[in-house]
Amino acid sequence: MVSVHFLFIVYLLSCTMASGGEKENKEELNISEYIEKVNEHPDYKVLTVEEYNKLLRVASTPRTVDPPTSKPMFSTPKGNLGPRMQGLLNTVSSMKPKTEPLTSILESPRHNLNASSCITQINPPKLPLFSGTDEPQKGEVPYEVWSFELKCLIKSGQYTEHLLLQAVRNSLKGLARSMLVPLGEDVSLTDVINKLDGFFGSVSTYENLMQAFYSDFQKDSESIVVYASRLEETISKAIQFGFIDQIAKDAMLRNKFWTGLSSQTLKNSTRHLYDSIKDFQLLLKEIRKVQQENINLQKSKNAHCDRECRESGSEE
């Protein structure tokens, strides 16, 4: 665009120099005559200030373009611009963004991509094994644990119903798996859960749960962790079925847990903890500490006694 302006100036200078010697004897050419002479040339055009500024804006516009539309990107200045200038503007106006089809991008060596790297395969989550037997076999869990794991997956919202249903099928075996057959191939996840709940879900009443809770105690050679876990499982079922309130859980657990301990020695040494600690989990932790200290003390006494016995036997 600047070259047009430059050529126009050169043309004017050449005309002026050619007539410089005879300027006094000839009448000064009118500017309109110069413009007409330039416009007669097929490759040049004298522009107005408005047209010239518009062409400068076109030339300085970045080459990045918006998505193609039905309208041209630039408007052509008024007037005859000549074949070369008109061709330049037509080229700029018809520019379209350079795009590549997805298939060509995937197949292009410079992207180093293939279909397997672009498609994320989502596998179904894993659930623990459940067979429905009265006594779970090795690697299996009771229905309450299996159902809890499934509910956690559903609540997470990370998996579709199809993936969850596949996870359920993969986790069932034996009797529990055979119960899905009558439901057919188009069964929904809700139908499967309802079916398994009907056969294996808890049917305990409030009376049964409370009787099991209050009659429980620590068995011989049973750790206090196993004993406490069993109590908490029973009371959690009662809360789940709406038999008791969540607020009453801690008070019921700490009372029953401490009174049901099998070791009277441990109870005597932890009575102050029971009276002062109102949180069940914290009470359990502190009593475990005392129990471990008693075990270590007893081991130390036994080792000392054995050493004295060996020393006395050697003296005799």
Side-chain angles (χ1 to χ4, degrees):
M1 312 312 299
V2 177
S3 61
V4 174
H5 184 248
F6 175 75
L7 289 174
F8 169 62
I9 295 174
V10 171
Y11 182 84
L12 290 178
L13 288 176
S14 62
C15 292
T16 303
M17 292 175 63
S19 59
E22 302 175 355
K23 187 173 183 180
E24 297 83 1
N25 302 324
K26 293 185 179 179
E27 196 177 302
E28 185 178 0
L29 291 175
N30 190 289
I31 187 65
S32 60
E33 296 179 359
Y34 288 112
I35 294 176
E36 290 179 0
K37 289 182 178 293
V38 173
N39 287 339
E40 290 176 357
H41 197 283
D43 294 336
Y44 305 110
K45 172 68 177 179
V46 177
L47 304 178
T48 64
V49 174
E50 179 183 359
E51 293 173 337
Y52 176 71
N53 291 335
K54 186 177 295 185
L55 286 178
L56 283 181
R57 288 196 297 271
V58 172
S60 61
T61 302
R63 293 298 297 269
T64 55
V65 297
D66 295 329
T69 60
S70 58
K71 297 181 179 180
M73 297 178 60
F74 305 105
S75 58
T76 305
K78 298 178 181 179
N80 180 22
L81 301 182
R84 293 185 181 180
M85 293 302 303
Q86 189 64 48
L88 174 61
L89 287 179
N90 291 340
T91 301
V92 174
S93 300
S94 62
M95 283 193 304
K96 297 181 179 180
K98 184 178 180 181
T99 59
E100 294 182 77
L102 178 60
T103 53
S104 64
I105 294 177
L106 294 177
E107 296 171 358
S108 174
R110 73 176 186 272
H111 289 93
N112 194 24
L113 297 175
N114 51 50
S116 61
S117 64
C118 294
I119 300 176
T120 303
Q121 296 181 351
I122 302 178
N123 295 322
K126 286 188 177 182
L127 285 169
L129 295 177
F130 173 69
S131 64
T133 57
D134 294 336
E135 294 294 332
Q137 303 300 313
K138 184 178 180 180
E140 299 177 3
V141 296
Y143 180 74
E144 289 78 9
V145 177
W146 181 89
S147 178
F148 170 77
E149 294 293 338
L150 177 59
K151 290 176 182 177
C152 290
L153 290 177
I154 294 175
K155 190 174 182 179
S156 70
Q158 298 179 5
Y159 304 96
T160 63
E161 181 177 354
H162 171 74
L163 291 176
L164 291 172
L165 191 57
Q166 186 61 47
V168 169
R169 291 194 182 99
N170 295 341
S171 66
L172 299 179
K173 55 185 295 189
L175 177 63
R177 189 177 184 86
S178 64
M179 289 182 176
L180 300 186
V181 177
L183 297 177
E185 298 84 356
D186 300 326
V187 62
S188 67
L189 181 62
T190 302
D191 293 335
V192 172
I193 295 176
N194 290 338
K195 181 71 175 286
L196 295 176
D197 275 341
F199 278 90
F200 305 109
S202 177
V203 292
S204 299
T205 62
Y206 172 75
E207 291 76 13
N208 292 338
L209 288 174
M210 291 299 98
Q211 182 180 2
F213 179 76
Y214 285 113
S215 62
D216 203 352
F217 57 89
Q218 185 183 8
K219 309 296 189 298
D220 293 338
S221 69
E222 182 181 48
S223 70
I224 61 176
V225 173
V226 174
Y227 166 57
S229 177
R230 185 171 63 251
L231 288 177
E232 189 169 22
E233 181 181 353
T234 304
I235 204 71
S236 296
K237 288 181 181 178
I239 294 174
Q240 179 183 355
F241 298 146
F243 298 148
I244 63 174
D245 194 271
Q246 176 74 30
I247 301 176
K249 179 181 178 180
D250 255 23
M252 295 176 66
L253 278 175
R254 60 181 293 275
N255 178 68
K256 179 56 191 173
F257 167 70
W258 187 81
T259 57
L261 291 173
S262 60
S263 173
Q264 188 62 41
T265 303
L266 183 60
K267 290 175 67 175
N268 293 337
S269 59
T270 58
R271 179 177 293 275
H272 67 288
L273 296 174
Y274 172 72
D275 293 335
S276 59
I277 299 177
K278 304 304 180 183
D279 181 79
F280 166 68
Q281 297 294 340
L282 182 56
L283 176 64
L284 171 61
K285 183 177 181 179
E286 294 301 322
I287 291 180
R288 288 180 58 217
K289 289 181 180 180
V290 174
Q291 183 189 49
Q292 188 62 47
E293 291 174 357
N294 293 342
I295 293 174
N296 294 339
L297 181 60
Q298 187 62 42
K299 288 181 179 179
S300 178
K301 288 181 179 180
N302 293 339
H304 181 69
C305 181
D306 292 342
R307 185 170 60 254
E308 288 183 346
C309 292
R310 287 194 301 270
E311 289 176 355
S312 60
S314 61
E315 290 177 357
E316 294 177 358

